[in-house]
């Protein structure tokens, strides 16, 4: 059987459904430099997601931006407007690659 993303995701989901999981974060990145953390990621995504989206993706991203601009949501809760899997994957990829770029956008 070929290992696909779907099979891997399901195996991970099954693993965490069967065992308790606790994640502790320290917030160290923000303490080290203000160009890290959620504000820097938000700036990076705003810049990178300003182009190259379908109409549906653009509408969902605009909901995120509007919620942030009107301060009705924080960054993390505003991301709940994203439902499109391809856009979610793009955001994940941009987040993974943001560590070196956030400092240049700040």
């Amino acid at each position: 059987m070929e290992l696909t993303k779907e099979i891997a995701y399901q195996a991970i989901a099954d693993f965490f459904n069967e065992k308790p999981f606790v994640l502790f974060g320290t917030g160290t990145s923000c303490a080290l430099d203000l160009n890290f953390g959620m504000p820097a990621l938000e700036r990076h995504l705003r810049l990178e997601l300003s182009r190259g989206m379908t109409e549906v993706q653009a509408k969902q991203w605009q909901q995120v931006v509007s919620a942030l601009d009107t301060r009705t949501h924080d960054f993390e809760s505003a991301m709940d407007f994203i439902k499109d899997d391809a856009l979610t994957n793009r955001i994940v990829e941009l987040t993974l690659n943001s560590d070196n770029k956030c400092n240049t956008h700040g």
Side-chain angles (χ1 to χ4, degrees):
M1 174 173 30
E2 180 182 347
L3 179 62
T4 64
K5 281 185 184 180
E6 291 76 22
I7 292 170
Y9 291 160
Q10 187 60 52
I12 292 169
D14 291 344
F15 175 83
F16 287 114
N17 281 333
E18 296 169 6
K19 296 167 183 58
F21 177 71
V22 178
L23 174 68
F24 293 96
T26 64
T28 303
S29 60
C30 294
L32 291 173
D33 189 329
L34 292 177
N35 287 319
F36 293 111
M38 289 299 172
L41 179 58
E42 178 186 336
R43 287 191 304 274
H44 174 68
L45 291 177
R46 281 182 184 245
L47 180 68
E48 294 296 323
L49 292 174
S50 62
R51 60 196 176 284
M53 289 185 280
T54 68
E55 187 176 330
V56 169
Q57 293 169 342
K59 182 180 262 186
Q60 290 176 14
W61 179 245
Q62 187 54 50
Q63 287 178 286
V64 171
V65 171
S66 295
L68 294 169
D69 289 347
T70 59
R71 299 181 192 268
T72 59
H73 293 70
D74 63 16
F75 180 68
E76 291 179 72
S77 65
M79 295 301 285
D80 288 340
F81 288 111
I82 304 298
K83 307 294 185 208
D84 181 89
D85 287 340
L87 181 55
T88 298
N89 289 335
R90 185 170 174 205
I91 290 168
V92 168
E93 289 174 12
L94 288 168
T95 300
L96 290 171
N97 295 318
S98 69
D99 58 344
N100 294 324
K101 296 177 183 174
C102 285
N103 286 326
T104 62
H105 295 180

